[in-house]
Amino acid sequence: MTSVPPPRSGAATDSPPGRVVGTGKPSLRAILSAAGDPANRSQPVTIEQIDRSRPFVPEEYTHLFYTSIYGSLSDQQRLRYNQLFGVRINEFIMMLERDVLERVLLPLRSHRAVASNPELRACLDTMIEDERRHYAGFADLNRRCLPEVFVDGRDRYFTELSAPQRMLFWMLGRIARTLAFPLYSLMALEESSMAMARRMIHDPASPTLGALEPHFVAVHREHMKDEARHVQIQAHLIDACLTRAGKVSRWSNSRLFKTMLSGLTTVGRSGSGARVLRHLVREHPELAPREPEMVDAIAGLGDDPAYQRSLFNRTVMPRAFAVFDRTPEFDDLPTYMVGYDRQ
């Protein structure tokens, strides 16, 4: 059995050599101009046949990588876990682009600061259009990876929302015109997806599982083209809807964001990560006796500093962290976000 390197602090956040991720914010006019250039927009990826002998994502982007259990799995078990988790990552991006799109971004079109700024509204409209295309592209990739699961129009499996989660997104939509705090997390998470795409492009292999599946790399490469502009748009939206708001509104938005972080940094026993493990056990019944142990291990990641720093840190999220730095209401953010080093 191939040995597995121990988890590295911030492993999922390393930027490729020679690539400096800036924190500047281009003008809205420049962003719109870039959106009109096909070279700066994602293109459809023709998917022929998925190579199931290859991993789908870098190992350090999976939950079990940060546990002692990972090294005890066989190569075949680790490979299949990686592939299933890669589909889960795609679904998580889809969840952001469908649920946040419908419940947060669309209502923001009527926000006073957006409705009064034609260029900002035009940028928001291009982002909404892009996100709909991304959703369809990731759904197509997942159907080709797990055709036995995604049938009869189904496009979500690991990240299907529970009734309480659907209610939460409904509530976010109801208050988005006045409390747009999800923009903070949306910006950070989209920067994180860009960091993973850069990692896949510049180092398209994993330490123990070999070269990444090329279609997976291609889809995430194309996705990154649009996300670079989206993060810039989100910076403008945050300035318009949050930074320039009144004192009470700024305090309310910052408090709600910090409360929301617990849902992003906690790995539950019934969440999407646990669903990946349960599907893995169905395909590898020999792991059934270890299922409770594996679920407990990932549930413990809420207290694991290395894993927590891999989620939020300045290398992965330079623009989001720059926004956090200049927000006075985030003086205590390190208490809620382990990887945040206030500057």
Side-chain angles (χ1 to χ4, degrees), residues 290-331:
R290 303 191 67 185
E291 181 179 325
E293 176 191 6
M294 292 191 292
V295 172
D296 286 346
I298 66 169
L301 292 176
D303 298 319
D304 183 87
Y307 173 73
Q308 292 295 319
R309 283 193 294 270
S310 78
L311 295 178
F312 292 93
N313 65 78
R314 195 172 294 275
T315 304
V316 162
M317 304 163 179
R319 292 183 177 89
F321 271 42
V323 169
F324 300 160
D325 289 341
R326 62 176 182 262
T327 303
E329 292 77 17
F330 286 156
D331 281 343

Side-chain angles (χ1 to χ4, degrees), residues 150-332:
F150 298 106
V151 296
D152 299 327
R154 184 181 197 176
D155 52 17
R156 297 263 286 279
Y157 175 55
F158 297 118
T159 63
E160 285 184 325
L161 297 180
S162 64
Q165 289 171 326
R166 289 195 297 272
M167 177 61 69
L168 173 62
F169 277 110
W170 179 85
M171 292 175 61
L172 292 178
R174 298 291 293 178
I175 64 176
R177 291 179 180 85
T178 54
L179 294 171
F181 67 93
L183 284 171
Y184 289 128
S185 56
L186 183 61
M187 183 181 189
L189 292 172
E190 293 208 322
E191 277 200 283
S192 178
S193 73
M194 291 170 57
M196 189 183 77
R198 288 194 301 272
R199 163 74 169 79
M200 295 170 77
I201 294 166
H202 292 274
D203 189 10
S206 67
T208 70
L209 298 177
L212 300 177
E213 209 287 328
H215 296 98
F216 244 79
V217 176
V219 170
H220 282 272
R221 180 192 64 227
E222 292 301 314
H223 179 244
M224 184 176 66
K225 293 179 182 178
D226 293 334
E227 295 307 286
R229 285 183 288 102
H230 293 180
V231 168
Q232 295 164 357
I233 295 170
Q234 287 152 15
H236 280 280
L237 287 169
I238 288 172
D239 277 352
C241 302
L242 297 170
T243 306
R244 298 173 191 170
K247 184 177 181 179
V248 173
S249 178
R250 291 198 309 273
W251 182 89
S252 300
N253 277 292
S254 67
R255 177 54 53 189
L256 287 167
F257 170 64
K258 285 178 278 193
T259 301
M260 186 182 193
L261 278 173
S262 64
L264 298 174
T265 58
T266 301
V267 182
R269 288 179 168 80
S270 59
S272 59
R275 293 171 196 164
V276 170
L277 291 176
R278 293 186 177 105
H279 188 97
L280 175 69
V281 169
R282 283 197 291 274
E283 293 192 7
H284 289 271
E286 71 276 10
L287 288 174
R290 303 191 67 185
E291 181 179 325
E293 176 191 6
M294 292 191 292
V295 172
D296 286 346
I298 66 169
L301 292 176
D303 298 319
D304 183 87
Y307 173 73
Q308 292 295 319
R309 283 193 294 270
S310 78
L311 295 178
F312 292 93
N313 65 78
R314 195 172 294 275
T315 304
V316 162
M317 304 163 179
R319 292 183 177 89
F321 271 42
V323 169
F324 300 160
D325 289 341
R326 62 176 182 262
T327 303
E329 292 77 17
F330 286 156
D331 281 343
D332 62 342

Side-chain angles (χ1 to χ4, degrees), residues 40-43 90 93-94 97-98 101 126-141 190 193 219-230:
N40 293 322
R41 302 198 65 172
S42 65
Q43 302 299 320
N90 289 350
I93 295 173
M94 291 164 63
E97 295 178 339
R98 167 68 56 86
L101 166 68
T126 64
M127 183 164 64
I128 291 171
E129 177 190 347
D130 290 340
E131 302 292 29
R132 286 171 172 159
R133 288 189 294 105
H134 296 164
Y135 188 98
F138 281 118
D140 179 55
L141 175 60
E190 293 208 322
S193 73
V219 170
H220 282 272
R221 180 192 64 227
E222 292 301 314
H223 179 244
M224 184 176 66
K225 293 179 182 178
D226 293 334
E227 295 307 286
R229 285 183 288 102
H230 293 180

Side-chain angles (χ1 to χ4, degrees), residues 1 30 32 35 50-51 68 100 134 148 165 227 247 289 300 309 319 327 333:
M1 177 163 40
L32 286 171
I50 297 295
D51 187 347
S68 59
V100 176
H134 296 164
E148 70 278 11
Q165 289 171 326
E227 295 307 286
K247 184 177 181 179
R309 283 193 294 270
R319 292 183 177 89
T327 303
L333 188 57

